[in-house]
């Protein structure tokens, strides 16, 4: 085997191994730019630099491609967050702030945040996608936040909360940031722009003031 053959073979192998990741990156970009309905698998393959046939080797349909994108960019984070919750030693107010900041750093400020806007816009048109997102993202997210709030109550830090609804108090600011980022932010005047981390800190303070248990003097 010539030196050229020896050096080119590993490159081809690496290229083949990298294809699923490249396809997911291309799909994420197009889903966020165009939405689920308007994105065609041919476009995803072209942007990733492969044939449509190659795409179908890894993902048999556009729906399966979308599911893989969600698992890779959002759903896979919940195992990390639950492990962090198990290890966290500080007070629960600090844990709430950590969770909100962590969400922004790992999802909110990334392109993956656009998937949430996509689902909110197109869920009624694609019930299977909506059910998948509910199972893989919404339900685990609710369970994680419920664990955090229950921790605060169990430790005597938070007052008794209606957890079925209190979880939405933490979710609502995050949804607002996503919708703002993927709608008004690009055309918002500079003096009316929102600093995401300052917004999160402000919301956390307001929420925690309402949740903390007030002890009699």
């Amino acid at each position: 085997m010539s030196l050229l053959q020896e050096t080119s073979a590993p490159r081809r192998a690496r290229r083949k191994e990298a294809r699923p990741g490249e396809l997911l990156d291309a799909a994420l970009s197009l889903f966020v730019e165009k939405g689920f309905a308007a994105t065609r698998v041919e476009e995803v393959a072209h942007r990733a630099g492969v044939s449509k046939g190659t795409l179908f080797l890894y993902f048999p349909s556009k729906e399966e491609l979308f599911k893989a994108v969600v698992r890779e960019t959002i759903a896979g984070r919940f195992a990390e967050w639950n492990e962090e919750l198990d290890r966290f030693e500080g007070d629960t107010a600090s844990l709430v702030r950590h969770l909100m900041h962590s969400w922004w750093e790992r999802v909110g400020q990334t392109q993956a945040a656009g998937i949430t806007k996509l689902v909110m816009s197109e869920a009624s048109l694609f019930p299977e996608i909506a059910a998948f997102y509910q199972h893989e993202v919404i339900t685990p997210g609710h369970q994680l936040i419920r664990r955090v709030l229950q921790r605060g109550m169990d430790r005597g830090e938070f007052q008794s909360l209606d957890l079925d609804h209190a979880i939405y108090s933490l979710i609502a600011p995050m949804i607002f940031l996503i919708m703002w980022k993927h709608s008004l932010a690009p055309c918002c005047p500079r003096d009316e722009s929102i600093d995401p981390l300052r917004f999160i800190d402000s919301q956390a303070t307001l929420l925690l003031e309402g949740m903390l248990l007030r002890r009699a003097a």
Side-chain angles (χ1 to χ4, degrees):
M1 181 182 289
S2 68
L3 178 61
L4 177 60
Q5 289 174 315
E6 290 176 353
T7 56
S8 62
R11 280 200 299 271
R12 285 198 298 272
R14 286 195 298 271
R15 169 66 175 158
K16 185 177 180 180
E17 293 169 0
R19 281 177 183 166
E22 293 168 358
L23 286 164
L24 292 178
D25 289 342
L28 173 61
S29 296
L30 284 164
F31 284 141
V32 172
E33 290 172 16
K34 305 181 66 173
F36 181 81
T39 296
R40 296 183 295 114
V41 291
E42 293 88 345
E43 295 175 291
V44 176
H46 178 75
R47 183 167 293 194
V50 301
S51 68
K52 184 170 74 170
T54 298
L55 184 152
F56 284 129
L57 287 176
Y58 297 105
F59 309 104
S61 67
K62 184 169 71 167
E63 288 76 11
E64 291 303 314
L65 178 61
F66 177 82
K67 291 176 181 179
V69 167
V70 172
R71 290 190 179 109
E72 179 70 19
T73 60
I74 305 177
R77 298 291 188 184
F78 290 110
E80 302 172 14
W81 282 319
N82 277 290
E83 289 176 4
E84 290 177 14
L85 193 161
D86 292 336
R87 298 193 305 267
F88 198 86
E89 297 181 352
D91 61 82
T92 308
S94 298
L95 177 57
V96 168
R97 292 183 184 276
H98 169 75
L99 184 65
M100 295 176 75
H101 276 268
S102 177
W103 174 86
W104 178 253
E105 292 164 1
R106 300 178 198 180
V107 178
Q109 70 178 356
T110 73
Q111 198 170 32
I115 294 295
T116 300
K117 180 175 181 289
L118 178 158
V119 172
M120 294 178 70
S121 301
E122 302 187 58
S124 62
L125 302 175
F126 300 97
E128 179 186 348
I129 292 300
F132 166 80
Y133 193 81
Q134 176 76 39
H135 181 267
E136 296 285 332
V137 177
I138 296 176
T139 297
H142 287 191
Q143 292 170 344
L144 176 65
I145 296 172
R146 180 182 289 269
R147 284 191 66 197
V148 172
L149 299 180
Q150 186 66 57
R151 179 186 190 268
M153 292 192 294
D154 292 344
R155 290 162 59 101
E157 298 167 339
F158 291 173
Q159 61 182 285
S160 179
L161 301 170
D162 175 0
L163 293 181
D164 291 336
H165 295 89
I167 56 177
Y168 292 105
S169 297
L170 271 67
I171 294 171
M174 305 296 101
I175 297 298
F176 170 81
L177 272 183
I178 287 175
M179 301 305 289
W180 172 79
K181 176 184 176 183
H182 290 276
S183 56
L184 293 176
C187 55
C188 185
R190 180 172 299 181
D191 60 349
E192 296 179 11
S193 64
I194 297 173
D195 181 317
L197 293 181
R198 286 180 59 194
F199 174 82
I200 289 172
D201 284 334
S202 173
Q203 292 297 306
T205 297
L206 291 172
L207 291 169
L208 291 168
E209 283 295 316
M211 290 190 294
L212 290 173
L213 183 64
R214 306 298 179 190
R215 300 187 185 279

